[in-house]
Amino acid sequence: MIPDRTPVGRGVYHATAEVAKGAHVPNFQKYKELYLQSIQNPEEFWGKIAKEYYWKTPNTGSFLDYNFDVTKGNIYIKWLEGATTNLCYNVLDRNVNEKKLGDKIAYYWEGNEPGDCMQVTYKGLLQQVCKFANVLRAQGVKKGDRISIYMPMMIELVVAMLACARIGVIHSIVFAGFSSESLCERILDSHCSILITADGFFRGDKFVNLKQIADEALRKCRERNYTVGKCIVAKHLGLTEDTLIDEASTCPQSPAAKRSCYNLQAPWNADVDIWWHELMKDASDECEPEWCDAEDPLFILYTSGSTGKPKGVQHTVGGYLLYTATTFKYVFDYKPDDVYWCTADIGWITGHSYLAYGPLANGATSVMFEGLPTYPCVSRFWEIIDKYKVTTFYTAPTAIRLLMKYGEEPVKRFSRESLKILGTVGEPINPEAWLWYYNVVGNRRCPIMDTFWQTETGGHMMTPLPAAIPLKPGSATFPFFGVVPAILNESGEELEGEAEGYLVFKRPWPSIMRTLYGNHERFESTYFKKFPGYFVTGDGCRRDGDGYYWITGRIDDMLNVSGHLLSTAEVESALLEDAAVAEAAVVSHPHPVKGECLYCFVTLRDGHEFTKTLVAELKAKVREKIGPIATPDYIQNAPGLPKTRSGKIMRRVLRHIARNERDLGDTSTLADETVIEELFSNRCRTL
Ligand code: PRX
């Protein structure tokens, strides 16, 4: 329950008068009033918001229809079924034609190298999107087809996703840090007919030959009897198809020169590969949108699953539009003159919802950043904030913890006076990092929106609102409009008042995922089976005496490394591919910057020795299989693993060993106690 009065007391942070002035939701009472409306009459609440958008055919049938209870039949959720619209039309044409925002900047693009930048207006974006949508149609794709997009943070990535949305094609964006194996797996699962990629890019000093990785993925697909028809390659670094790559060391260090000094290493396959710019040359910039049902799929985005096989989370057109647009407006208290910067990559849900669709639906100006917070120096974020006069800054706790290490001086070199609102996402933020963000970055004037949500939820679920909800460092505070959380105990009973347990949601909000692509059964069993009648988040949660929610972290076999969700099973199966490994057990381990990291126990096959070379080989194996984000920090030799008599590995015990905690709790079910001492003595002590 939401308290009747505005929470006050020690450790509670209230908005300044400046923040409250003209806020969409000016105080706690107003939040409560709107929240109750959204819960008591969702149809009226969301119906009013829906009217702000363009519908080719308005909704006449049922506004919301759903079943959340597996014991009563199949799970389904339908918002505004029968109404037709187009998401791309709403975020571009509507802004250009109706709202007269054609000349407004949609994106300031800031490259990896300082000084490498450009901007695109709403009109310019609409033109490019229409052209590329025509290009795709000319390639023969049609509504409902799937396309994989594997690109760095370049404007063409936004163009590609919106072009898909325009013609009703389902985009499946794969983060450009994923490996060829991960890309291949995602292409195969969603049967994508086209891959859109780029020549290459830089991450800080490191060159990533994206085309080569993409080629490798397509080769792996062919080996598994699946052929992707076309690979469209956007030129980002100015690479050419007929020359070989230069060594990084021979590259001139001047920023702009660096982007154009690399040549393409991957061979050009003229049957499959086509340059983006060649296709765009003669394409028309007029393109009639495909009118889609509100419940038609918009995109698939893969997220880790506890079985190790990624899950293709599927979102739909209508509900996703309403929810991302509304959360963006209220959570960041968006005003037309704001300059908003979300540092997430579009390859993750945060980029989809809050760098692309949400801000665009509001006609906002965003900064899109290709680079790293520490390149070429640790002031890069603050420099960019001053450069574009950023008002709203949304980043991950891991980035804050990383930058904290360098002290206040690099921050204070820049004024940051344009900042009004700060945000975090992706993992719990520890109070120390929260306070540094608040005191040092925000100069104690900018409220921090700690937004809890998931790929599956499509948008913010538990979050403060800048002027309305007083903050407690580390708490995602209260539910957003339309969200009804509950905390359950192991038996599935709802806990009232102060409590800790499983975080679930009791009814659908517009942007809840509708299924897992091609596997509705897995959707039902993952999210609805454990507690029938509820959507199960997989996170633990505590509610304090004031009704504030505190996310305590995953309670399944998932872990959150630098805000990226990974499954321990996925990493174990990568380790098991090495001929030396007989058994592997991976647990999460605290990390001062990443939040959590991977601690792996491996049992070797006879005849293999645990050496530094093997450790390096195993780390490389995981990087290659999943991507650099999954690189283990620790790999420990485990001649034996702690198992129950039925053979189940006791990960809880392994977590204690990794942390050198001698109190292992109840070990009565352990089959062989003797492995424990050996594991303690083999612990990895340093990184
Ligand atoms: O454990 C929660 C954590 O990130 C998970 C979702 O990960 P993903 O689907 O990759 O989406 C990340 C971006 C929305 C959640 O189950 N998480 C996300 N935000 C927070 C969080 N944990 C605590 N506080 C948050 N604000």
Side-chain angles (χ1 to χ4, degrees):
M1 266 310 285
I2 292 161
D4 287 329
R5 294 217 188 117
T6 314
V8 287
R10 275 191 64 202
V12 178
Y13 290 72
H14 296 268
T16 60
E18 192 65 22
V19 171
K21 204 166 68 192
H24 293 306
V25 188
N27 54 50
F28 194 74
Q29 293 316 320
K30 186 71 188 167
Y31 157 68
K32 185 151 183 180
E33 192 185 307
L34 286 169
Y35 178 76
L36 290 178
Q37 276 173 23
S38 74
I39 298 310
Q40 285 157 2
N41 198 340
E43 176 159 351
E44 191 183 307
F45 184 87
W46 293 109
K48 206 165 132 202
I49 291 171
K51 288 208 176 72
E52 292 170 28
Y53 295 91
Y54 179 78
W55 302 87
K56 182 80 174 165
T57 335
N59 162 263
T60 48
S62 92
F63 197 85
L64 167 64
D65 185 16
Y66 73 100
N67 172 38
F68 250 32
D69 189 344
V70 269
T71 62
K72 297 198 174 129
N74 290 344
I75 301 294
Y76 67 89
I77 305 117
K78 290 173 178 172
W79 286 86
L80 294 131
E81 197 183 24
T84 61
T85 187
N86 182 281
L87 217 164
C88 175
Y89 184 91
N90 271 293
V91 303
L92 295 181
D93 309 58
R94 180 179 138 272
N95 281 330
V96 172
N97 302 327
E98 254 177 63
K99 306 257 167 199
K100 307 290 173 225
L101 297 177
D103 293 326
K104 189 173 179 184
I105 306 284
Y107 291 103
Y108 288 112
W109 181 83
E110 174 81 13
N112 182 60
E113 301 295 328
D116 194 6
C117 54
M118 60 172 126
Q119 57 194 48
V120 59
T121 61
Y122 273 87
K123 200 165 65 194
L125 193 58
L126 174 61
Q127 261 170 8
Q128 284 196 55
V129 167
C130 285
K131 282 172 82 120
F132 196 63
N134 285 325
V135 161
L136 292 177
R137 275 192 176 144
Q139 292 297 318
V141 290
K142 48 185 194 322
K143 184 171 176 225
D145 288 352
R146 278 84 44 218
I147 285 185
S148 270
I149 303 178
Y150 183 60
M151 295 174 99
M153 286 282 279
M154 58 197 289
I155 293 292
E156 285 82 349
L157 169 52
V158 182
V159 172
M161 72 198 288
L162 294 177
C164 288
R166 191 167 192 89
I167 59 173
V169 163
I170 304 168
H171 59 72
S172 164
I173 302 183
V174 180
F175 171 56
F178 273 121
S179 64
S180 61
E181 180 64 35
S182 299
L183 174 60
C184 161
E185 193 177 12
R186 286 157 176 75
I187 292 174
L188 291 177
D189 189 75
S190 51
H191 295 95
C192 288
S193 54
I194 289 183
L195 172 65
I196 306 171
T197 188
D199 46 5
F201 67 98
F202 279 92
R203 247 184 100 66
D205 265 332
K206 198 172 153 272
F207 171 63
V208 180
N209 193 333
L210 203 66
K211 171 68 165 58
Q212 194 178 48
I213 306 171
D215 281 353
E216 188 62 22
L218 295 185
R219 189 186 56 74
K220 288 178 175 161
C221 287
R222 283 193 299 274
E223 273 172 18
R224 294 171 213 177
N225 297 322
Y226 187 81
T227 304
V228 171
K230 289 285 173 224
C231 177
I232 300 176
V233 189
K235 204 171 246 191
H236 186 45
L237 295 180
L239 309 184
T240 58
E241 61 260 44
D242 50 6
T243 32
L244 289 179
I245 190 168
D246 291 335
E247 284 301 312
S249 56
T250 66
C251 180
Q253 289 307 302
S254 86
K258 207 167 181 181
R259 273 210 323 129
S260 59
C261 78
Y262 279 79
N263 292 318
L264 200 66
Q265 191 177 34
W268 194 255
N269 176 355
D271 291 338
V272 180
D273 300 333
I274 339 171
W275 282 114
W276 171 293
H277 57 269
E278 295 198 343
L279 291 168
M280 289 287 266
K281 244 184 346 217
D282 302 320
S284 154
D285 60 9
E286 274 179 33
C287 175
E288 175 66 12
E290 182 83 40
W291 298 107
C292 301
D293 193 284
E295 277 301 318
D296 279 342
L298 173 68
F299 66 82
I300 304 167
L301 182 59
Y302 285 87
T303 186
S304 295
S306 57
T307 59
K309 186 175 157 26
K311 302 175 293 201
V313 171
Q314 187 169 306
H315 283 286
T316 49
V317 174
Y320 183 80
L321 165 66
L322 293 188
Y323 200 75
T324 53
T326 310
T327 43
F328 178 80
K329 173 177 164 185
Y330 287 103
V331 173
F332 299 118
D333 200 26
Y334 172 69
K335 308 279 168 49
D337 291 335
D338 286 350
V339 176
Y340 163 83
W341 181 17
C342 164
T343 65
D345 193 289
I346 289 194
W348 307 108
I349 191 68
T350 306
H352 281 58
S353 301
Y354 298 111
L355 184 51
Y357 293 113
L360 291 174
N362 283 274
T365 295
S366 295
V367 174
M368 177 174 182
F369 178 45
E370 185 193 20
L372 298 174
T374 49
Y375 179 84
C377 68
V378 297
S379 286
R380 189 75 194 273
F381 272 3
W382 326 123
E383 189 181 342
I384 295 175
I385 287 173
D386 278 6
K387 177 173 176 184
Y388 296 105
K389 308 221 168 355
V390 171
T391 57
T392 316
F393 180 61
Y394 190 33
T395 195
T398 186
I400 298 162
R401 286 192 296 264
L402 173 71
L403 295 173
M404 257 172 89
K405 287 201 308 191
Y406 300 97
E408 300 185 6
E409 191 277 327
V411 188
K412 296 205 160 150
R413 240 183 272 159
F414 295 90
S415 88
R416 296 154 282 114
E417 63 192 3
S418 54
L419 283 177
K420 291 195 307 194
I421 288 159
L422 302 173
T424 66
V425 56
E427 54 186 316
I429 178 161
N430 47 314
E432 195 196 348
W434 194 99
L435 288 169
W436 189 82
Y437 198 26
Y438 185 79
N439 292 328
V440 181
V441 176
N443 282 344
R444 297 186 187 84
R445 351 173 243 102
C446 309
I448 299 175
M449 303 303 103
D450 175 354
T451 59
F452 165 81
W453 58 294
Q454 307 178 303
T455 304
E456 292 85 340
T457 70
H460 303 143
M461 299 300 284
M462 315 293 291
T463 174
L465 300 178
I469 300 183
L471 310 169
K472 292 191 186 188
S475 166
T477 73
F478 292 102
F480 188 74
F481 306 137
V483 171
V484 187
I487 298 181
L488 305 185
N489 64 14
E490 189 60 47
S491 334
E493 290 151 355
E494 281 190 32
L495 304 173
E496 302 296 332
E498 272 183 72
E500 183 162 349
Y502 294 88
L503 177 66
V504 298
F505 295 111
K506 293 172 74 162
R507 52 159 101 157
W509 56 99
S511 69
I512 182 178
M513 66 187 293
R514 302 301 198 263
T515 190
L516 285 172
Y517 183 79
N519 200 343
H520 197 69
E521 216 178 299
R522 188 174 180 201
F523 167 64
E524 295 182 333
S525 65
T526 308
Y527 305 101
F528 295 94
K529 205 158 172 189
K530 187 170 172 72
F531 300 119
Y534 301 95
F535 172 88
V536 180
T537 61
D539 282 291
C541 182
R542 181 170 69 81
R543 191 170 41 221
D544 70 15
D546 294 329
Y548 278 67
Y549 289 83
W550 301 73
I551 309 299
T552 54
R554 301 291 307 187
I555 38 186
D556 48 17
D557 287 336
M558 310 277 243
L559 74 162
N560 204 311
V561 178
S562 301
H564 304 311
L565 210 57
L566 292 171
S567 86
T568 51
E570 198 177 358
V571 180
E572 283 163 8
S573 76
L575 291 168
L576 284 168
E577 283 195 7
D578 195 285
V581 178
E583 261 196 298
V586 175
V587 295
S588 102
H589 190 64
H591 187 283
V593 173
K594 302 180 193 177
E596 290 178 87
C597 67
L598 294 156
Y599 194 115
C600 312
F601 294 84
V602 293
T603 308
L604 300 186
R605 289 183 197 283
D606 285 350
H608 290 272
E609 235 184 289
F610 193 82
T611 58
K612 275 192 177 154
T613 321
L614 178 69
V615 168
E617 184 184 309
L618 293 176
K619 287 187 180 180
K621 185 97 205 165
V622 179
R623 281 175 75 94
E624 184 199 311
K625 276 290 284 184
I626 305 170
I629 45 162
T631 311
D633 280 48
Y634 302 89
I635 297 190
Q636 170 175 342
N637 186 17
L641 287 168
K643 291 184 183 167
T644 60
R645 283 178 194 83
S646 59
K648 196 167 160 11
I649 297 172
M650 294 177 74
R651 285 159 208 284
R652 179 177 59 76
V653 169
L654 289 174
R655 269 194 291 273
H656 284 297
I657 294 172
R659 292 171 200 201
N660 204 18
E661 293 165 352
R662 289 274 163 177
D663 182 3
L664 299 179
D666 179 14
T667 50
S668 56
T669 52
L670 201 59
D672 175 10
E673 290 256 5
T674 61
V675 298
I676 301 290
E677 253 335 289
E678 193 170 26
L679 286 172
F680 269 113
S681 61
N682 279 354
R683 277 187 61 251
C684 305
R685 282 172 192 86
T686 50
L687 287 180

